[in-house]
Amino acid sequence: MSDKIVSVVRGTGSVLPERVMRNQDFVGVVETSDEWIRQRTGIAERHIAGEGETTASLAEGAARRALDAAGLEPADIDLIILATATPDNTFPASAVDVQNRLGISHGFAFDVHAVCSGFLYALTTADMYLRAGQARRALVIGAETFSRILDWEDRTTCVLFGDGAGAVVLEGVPAEESAGKGILVAKLRSDGSHKEKLFVDGGPSTTGTVGHLRMQGREVFKHAVGMITDVIEACFAAAKIGPDDIDWFIPHQANRRIIDASAKKLGIDIDKVVITVDRHGNTSAASIPLALDTAVRDGRVKPGDLVLLEAMGGGFTWGAILLRW
Ligand code: UT7
């Protein structure tokens, strides 16, 4: 692999379904309260896909906005990687559907499946293809419709998740033209022994059904902060930097308490943390690119900033990426 190419973000985009579901909307449906949801998770509302809105349609919307932000056309893209655990169909990959929706048939497209860490797995994979010279410009998308795999009678899970999509355009450029920008370090981890703590109880090869999300929330919570901080500290060591060097910390948005505890343990100032869980809920693979696009569009993330991304979720899978904007 050549180290002469670096992967630089050219643009970001995101899409949320129109329908907003507030905590209060759950009251009377399951035994819960706005107060419980806010206190335990930090979530106030989430977006829920309506009829005709699917993972691929949301992904297409996010991709088009990222292309606009980059000043590029679909024809400029030769790789699409879509991170999702809720594809439109068991196969083909929803990435191929997005490719078709964008009106292109050159290059190649595939899905990556690592649940809430999916976007970081997809970004790392795209980075490898670009640095290897196998593609020039990639669309990396995280898109989910978790509302379609929730058990709407299970209060321990149905209040936590939302739908949405986020995307980035990543371009491979010669290091000498990159001005120090691009993906600097990526660390991915997984440990399948935790499968039963967060999984979907169906699938093509087992039940022949789609199934519903099941989570032992307290068990996931117990592992989350340790796994997140370990992999971030590995990133810091690899880049020879510390928490004060970070301009923006953009974590997976599962629970405000996990985000706050991770930032505190790492010594990252809470004012540098991008938080969208209050408005988006947990959108799994879409959560990081949604938060990233929010912070880019509102002017927080600026050229030259050092940005730290982090995720942890089903598998377990977890990881962190450090990049210069
Ligand atoms: O993105 C993938 C990674 N996923 C995560 O990071 C999620 C990690 N886990 C969490 O965020 C938290 O564990 C939850 C938000 C899921 C739960 O918070 P918790 O503080 O761990 O609560 P708990 O599971 O210990 O439940 C406390 C109580 C229980 O009642 P008892 O057993 O004490 O009587 C639950 O049955 O809260 C009850 N409860 C609810 N009450 C009102 C659970 N869900 C609800 C609800 N409304 N929606």
CSV table of all heavy atoms in Angstrom, one decimal, residues 31-33 36-37 40-41 116 155-156 159-161 198 215 217-218 220-221 224 252 254-255 257-258 282 312-314, ligand 1:
chain,number,residue,atom,x,y,z
A,31,GLU,N,-45.1,1.7,28.9
A,31,GLU,CA,-45.0,2.3,30.2
A,31,GLU,C,-43.7,3.1,30.4
A,31,GLU,O,-42.6,2.5,30.7
A,31,GLU,CB,-45.1,1.2,31.3
A,31,GLU,CG,-45.7,1.7,32.6
A,31,GLU,CD,-45.6,0.6,33.6
A,31,GLU,OE1,-45.9,-0.6,33.2
A,31,GLU,OE2,-45.4,0.9,34.8
A,32,THR,N,-43.7,4.4,30.0
A,32,THR,CA,-42.5,5.2,30.1
A,32,THR,C,-42.9,6.6,30.4
A,32,THR,O,-44.1,7.0,30.5
A,32,THR,CB,-41.7,5.0,28.8
A,32,THR,OG1,-40.4,5.6,29.0
A,32,THR,CG2,-42.4,5.7,27.6
A,33,SER,N,-41.9,7.5,30.4
A,33,SER,CA,-42.2,8.9,30.6
A,33,SER,C,-41.1,9.7,29.9
A,33,SER,O,-39.9,9.2,29.7
A,33,SER,CB,-42.2,9.3,32.1
A,33,SER,OG,-40.9,9.0,32.6
A,36,TRP,N,-38.0,9.9,32.2
A,36,TRP,CA,-37.1,8.7,32.3
A,36,TRP,C,-36.2,8.7,31.1
A,36,TRP,O,-35.0,8.5,31.2
A,36,TRP,CB,-38.0,7.4,32.3
A,36,TRP,CG,-37.1,6.2,32.6
A,36,TRP,CD1,-36.8,5.6,33.8
A,36,TRP,CD2,-36.3,5.4,31.6
A,36,TRP,NE1,-36.0,4.5,33.6
A,36,TRP,CE2,-35.6,4.4,32.3
A,36,TRP,CE3,-36.1,5.5,30.2
A,36,TRP,CZ2,-34.8,3.5,31.7
A,36,TRP,CZ3,-35.2,4.6,29.6
A,36,TRP,CH2,-34.6,3.6,30.3
A,37,ILE,N,-36.8,8.9,29.9
A,37,ILE,CA,-36.0,8.9,28.7
A,37,ILE,C,-34.9,9.9,28.7
A,37,ILE,O,-33.8,9.7,28.4
A,37,ILE,CB,-36.9,9.0,27.4
A,37,ILE,CG1,-37.9,7.8,27.4
A,37,ILE,CG2,-36.1,8.9,26.1
A,37,ILE,CD1,-39.0,8.0,26.3
A,40,ARG,N,-32.2,9.1,31.5
A,40,ARG,CA,-31.3,7.9,31.3
A,40,ARG,C,-30.6,8.0,30.0
A,40,ARG,O,-29.6,7.3,29.8
A,40,ARG,CB,-32.2,6.7,31.3
A,40,ARG,CG,-33.0,6.4,32.5
A,40,ARG,CD,-32.0,6.0,33.7
A,40,ARG,NE,-32.8,5.8,34.9
A,40,ARG,CZ,-32.6,4.7,35.7
A,40,ARG,NH1,-31.8,3.8,35.4
A,40,ARG,NH2,-33.3,4.7,36.8
A,41,THR,N,-31.0,8.8,29.0
A,41,THR,CA,-30.4,8.7,27.7
A,41,THR,C,-30.0,10.1,27.1
A,41,THR,O,-29.2,10.1,26.2
A,41,THR,CB,-31.4,8.1,26.6
A,41,THR,OG1,-32.4,9.0,26.4
A,41,THR,CG2,-31.9,6.7,27.1
A,116,CYS,N,-23.6,-0.2,14.9
A,116,CYS,CA,-23.3,1.2,15.3
A,116,CYS,C,-21.9,1.7,14.9
A,116,CYS,O,-21.7,2.9,14.8
A,116,CYS,CB,-23.6,1.4,16.8
A,116,CYS,SG,-25.3,1.1,17.2
A,155,ARG,N,-40.4,-1.4,25.9
A,155,ARG,CA,-40.0,0.0,26.3
A,155,ARG,C,-38.5,0.1,26.5
A,155,ARG,O,-37.9,1.2,26.5
A,155,ARG,CB,-40.7,0.4,27.6
A,155,ARG,CG,-40.3,-0.4,28.8
A,155,ARG,CD,-40.9,0.1,30.1
A,155,ARG,NE,-40.3,-0.6,31.2
A,155,ARG,CZ,-40.6,-0.3,32.5
A,155,ARG,NH1,-41.4,0.8,32.7
A,155,ARG,NH2,-40.1,-0.9,33.5
A,156,THR,N,-37.8,-1.0,26.7
A,156,THR,CA,-36.3,-0.9,27.0
A,156,THR,C,-35.5,-0.6,25.7
A,156,THR,O,-34.4,-0.3,25.8
A,156,THR,CB,-35.8,-2.2,27.7
A,156,THR,OG1,-35.8,-3.3,26.7
A,156,THR,CG2,-36.6,-2.6,28.9
A,159,VAL,N,-37.7,3.2,22.7
A,159,VAL,CA,-37.5,4.7,22.9
A,159,VAL,C,-36.2,5.2,22.5
A,159,VAL,O,-35.9,6.4,22.5
A,159,VAL,CB,-37.8,5.0,24.3
A,159,VAL,CG1,-39.2,4.6,24.8
A,159,VAL,CG2,-36.8,4.5,25.3
A,160,LEU,N,-35.2,4.3,22.2
A,160,LEU,CA,-33.8,4.7,22.1
A,160,LEU,C,-33.4,5.0,20.7
A,160,LEU,O,-32.4,5.8,20.5
A,160,LEU,CB,-32.9,3.5,22.6
A,160,LEU,CG,-33.2,3.0,24.0
A,160,LEU,CD1,-32.3,1.8,24.3
A,160,LEU,CD2,-32.9,4.1,25.0
A,161,PHE,N,-34.1,4.5,19.7
A,161,PHE,CA,-33.5,4.5,18.3
A,161,PHE,C,-34.3,5.5,17.4
A,161,PHE,O,-35.4,5.8,17.6
A,161,PHE,CB,-33.4,3.1,17.7
A,161,PHE,CG,-32.5,2.2,18.4
A,161,PHE,CD1,-32.9,1.4,19.5
A,161,PHE,CD2,-31.1,2.2,18.1
A,161,PHE,CE1,-32.0,0.6,20.2
A,161,PHE,CE2,-30.2,1.4,18.8
A,161,PHE,CZ,-30.7,0.6,19.9
A,198,LEU,N,-26.6,-7.6,22.4
A,198,LEU,CA,-27.2,-6.7,21.4
A,198,LEU,C,-27.2,-7.3,20.1
A,198,LEU,O,-26.2,-7.5,19.4
A,198,LEU,CB,-26.3,-5.4,21.4
A,198,LEU,CG,-26.7,-4.3,20.4
A,198,LEU,CD1,-28.2,-3.9,20.5
A,198,LEU,CD2,-25.9,-3.0,20.6
A,215,MET,N,-31.8,-6.0,23.3
A,215,MET,CA,-30.5,-5.4,23.9
A,215,MET,C,-30.6,-5.6,25.4
A,215,MET,O,-31.7,-5.3,26.0
A,215,MET,CB,-30.4,-4.0,23.5
A,215,MET,CG,-29.2,-3.3,24.2
A,215,MET,SD,-28.7,-1.7,23.5
A,215,MET,CE,-30.0,-0.7,24.0
A,217,GLY,N,-29.4,-3.5,27.8
A,217,GLY,CA,-28.9,-2.2,27.8
A,217,GLY,C,-27.8,-2.0,28.9
A,217,GLY,O,-26.7,-1.4,28.6
A,218,ARG,N,-28.1,-2.5,30.1
A,218,ARG,CA,-27.2,-2.3,31.2
A,218,ARG,C,-25.8,-2.9,30.9
A,218,ARG,O,-24.8,-2.4,31.3
A,218,ARG,CB,-27.8,-2.8,32.5
A,218,ARG,CG,-27.3,-2.1,33.7
A,218,ARG,CD,-27.9,-2.7,35.0
A,218,ARG,NE,-29.4,-2.6,34.9
A,218,ARG,CZ,-30.2,-2.9,35.9
A,218,ARG,NH1,-29.7,-3.3,37.1
A,218,ARG,NH2,-31.5,-2.8,35.8
A,220,VAL,N,-24.5,-3.6,27.9
A,220,VAL,CA,-23.8,-2.8,26.9
A,220,VAL,C,-23.2,-1.6,27.5
A,220,VAL,O,-22.0,-1.3,27.3
A,220,VAL,CB,-24.8,-2.4,25.7
A,220,VAL,CG1,-24.0,-1.6,24.7
A,220,VAL,CG2,-25.5,-3.6,25.1
A,221,PHE,N,-23.9,-0.9,28.3
A,221,PHE,CA,-23.5,0.3,29.0
A,221,PHE,C,-22.2,0.0,29.8
A,221,PHE,O,-21.2,0.8,29.7
A,221,PHE,CB,-24.6,0.8,30.0
A,221,PHE,CG,-24.4,2.2,30.4
A,221,PHE,CD1,-25.3,3.2,30.0
A,221,PHE,CD2,-23.4,2.6,31.2
A,221,PHE,CE1,-25.2,4.5,30.4
A,221,PHE,CE2,-23.2,3.9,31.6
A,221,PHE,CZ,-24.1,4.9,31.2
A,224,ALA,N,-19.3,-0.1,27.4
A,224,ALA,CA,-19.1,0.9,26.4
A,224,ALA,C,-17.9,1.9,26.7
A,224,ALA,O,-17.0,2.0,25.9
A,224,ALA,CB,-20.4,1.7,26.3
A,252,HIS,N,-20.3,8.3,18.6
A,252,HIS,CA,-21.5,7.7,18.3
A,252,HIS,C,-22.6,8.1,19.3
A,252,HIS,O,-22.2,8.3,20.5
A,252,HIS,CB,-21.4,6.1,18.4
A,252,HIS,CG,-22.6,5.4,18.3
A,252,HIS,ND1,-23.6,5.6,17.3
A,252,HIS,CD2,-23.2,4.4,19.1
A,252,HIS,CE1,-24.6,4.8,17.5
A,252,HIS,NE2,-24.4,4.1,18.6
A,254,ALA,N,-25.4,7.2,21.2
A,254,ALA,CA,-26.3,6.2,21.8
A,254,ALA,C,-26.9,6.7,23.1
A,254,ALA,O,-28.1,6.5,23.3
A,254,ALA,CB,-25.5,4.9,22.0
A,255,ASN,N,-26.1,7.4,23.9
A,255,ASN,CA,-26.6,7.7,25.2
A,255,ASN,C,-25.7,8.9,25.7
A,255,ASN,O,-24.5,8.8,25.7
A,255,ASN,CB,-26.5,6.5,26.2
A,255,ASN,CG,-27.1,6.8,27.5
A,255,ASN,OD1,-26.9,7.9,28.1
A,255,ASN,ND2,-27.8,5.8,28.0
A,257,ARG,N,-25.2,9.9,28.6
A,257,ARG,CA,-24.3,9.5,29.8
A,257,ARG,C,-23.0,8.8,29.4
A,257,ARG,O,-22.0,9.0,30.0
A,257,ARG,CB,-25.1,8.6,30.8
A,257,ARG,CG,-26.3,9.4,31.5
A,257,ARG,CD,-26.9,8.5,32.5
A,257,ARG,NE,-27.6,7.4,32.0
A,257,ARG,CZ,-27.8,6.2,32.5
A,257,ARG,NH1,-27.2,5.9,33.6
A,257,ARG,NH2,-28.5,5.3,31.9
A,258,ILE,N,-23.1,8.0,28.3
A,258,ILE,CA,-21.9,7.3,27.8
A,258,ILE,C,-21.0,8.3,27.2
A,258,ILE,O,-19.8,8.3,27.4
A,258,ILE,CB,-22.3,6.2,26.7
A,258,ILE,CG1,-23.1,5.1,27.4
A,258,ILE,CG2,-21.0,5.7,26.1
A,258,ILE,CD1,-23.6,4.0,26.4
A,282,ASN,N,-30.6,7.2,18.8
A,282,ASN,CA,-29.5,6.4,18.3
A,282,ASN,C,-29.8,6.0,16.9
A,282,ASN,O,-30.7,5.2,16.7
A,282,ASN,CB,-29.3,5.2,19.3
A,282,ASN,CG,-28.2,4.3,18.9
A,282,ASN,OD1,-27.6,4.4,17.8
A,282,ASN,ND2,-27.8,3.4,19.7
A,312,MET,N,-19.2,2.5,19.1
A,312,MET,CA,-19.3,1.2,19.8
A,312,MET,C,-20.7,0.6,19.6
A,312,MET,O,-21.6,1.3,19.8
A,312,MET,CB,-18.9,1.3,21.3
A,312,MET,CG,-18.8,0.0,22.1
A,312,MET,SD,-20.4,-0.3,22.9
A,312,MET,CE,-20.0,-1.9,23.6
A,313,GLY,N,-20.8,-0.7,19.3
A,313,GLY,CA,-22.1,-1.2,19.2
A,313,GLY,C,-22.2,-2.7,19.0
A,313,GLY,O,-21.2,-3.4,19.3
A,314,GLY,N,-23.2,-3.2,18.4
A,314,GLY,CA,-23.5,-4.7,18.3
A,314,GLY,C,-22.4,-5.5,17.8
A,314,GLY,O,-21.7,-5.1,16.8
B,1,UT7,O1,-25.6,1.9,20.0
B,1,UT7,C1,-25.3,0.7,20.4
B,1,UT7,C2,-24.9,0.7,21.8
B,1,UT7,N1,-26.0,0.8,22.7
B,1,UT7,C3,-25.8,1.5,23.8
B,1,UT7,O2,-24.8,2.1,23.9
B,1,UT7,C4,-26.9,1.4,24.8
B,1,UT7,C5,-26.3,1.3,26.2
B,1,UT7,N2,-27.2,1.2,27.3
B,1,UT7,C6,-27.9,2.3,27.7
B,1,UT7,O3,-27.8,3.4,27.1
B,1,UT7,C7,-28.7,2.2,28.9
B,1,UT7,O4,-28.4,1.0,29.6
B,1,UT7,C8,-30.2,2.2,28.7
B,1,UT7,C9,-30.6,3.7,28.3
B,1,UT7,C10,-30.6,1.3,27.6
B,1,UT7,C11,-31.0,1.9,30.0
B,1,UT7,O5,-30.5,2.8,31.1
B,1,UT7,P1,-30.1,2.1,32.5
B,1,UT7,O6,-29.8,3.3,33.4
B,1,UT7,O7,-29.0,1.1,32.2
B,1,UT7,O8,-31.4,1.5,33.0
B,1,UT7,P2,-31.7,-0.1,33.3
B,1,UT7,O9,-31.7,-0.9,32.1
B,1,UT7,O10,-30.8,-0.5,34.4
B,1,UT7,O11,-33.2,0.0,33.8
B,1,UT7,C12,-33.6,0.7,35.0
B,1,UT7,C13,-35.1,0.6,35.1
B,1,UT7,C14,-35.6,-0.8,35.0
B,1,UT7,O12,-36.6,-1.1,35.9
B,1,UT7,P3,-36.2,-1.9,37.3
B,1,UT7,O13,-35.7,-3.2,36.8
B,1,UT7,O14,-35.2,-1.0,38.0
B,1,UT7,O15,-37.6,-1.9,38.0
B,1,UT7,C15,-36.2,-0.9,33.6
B,1,UT7,O16,-37.2,-1.8,33.5
B,1,UT7,O17,-35.8,1.3,34.1
B,1,UT7,C16,-36.8,0.5,33.5
B,1,UT7,N3,-36.9,1.0,32.1
B,1,UT7,C17,-37.8,2.0,31.8
B,1,UT7,N4,-38.6,2.7,32.5
B,1,UT7,C18,-39.3,3.7,31.9
B,1,UT7,C19,-36.3,0.5,31.0
B,1,UT7,N5,-36.8,1.2,29.9
B,1,UT7,C20,-37.7,2.1,30.4
B,1,UT7,C21,-38.4,3.1,29.8
B,1,UT7,N6,-39.2,3.8,30.6
B,1,UT7,N7,-38.4,3.3,28.4
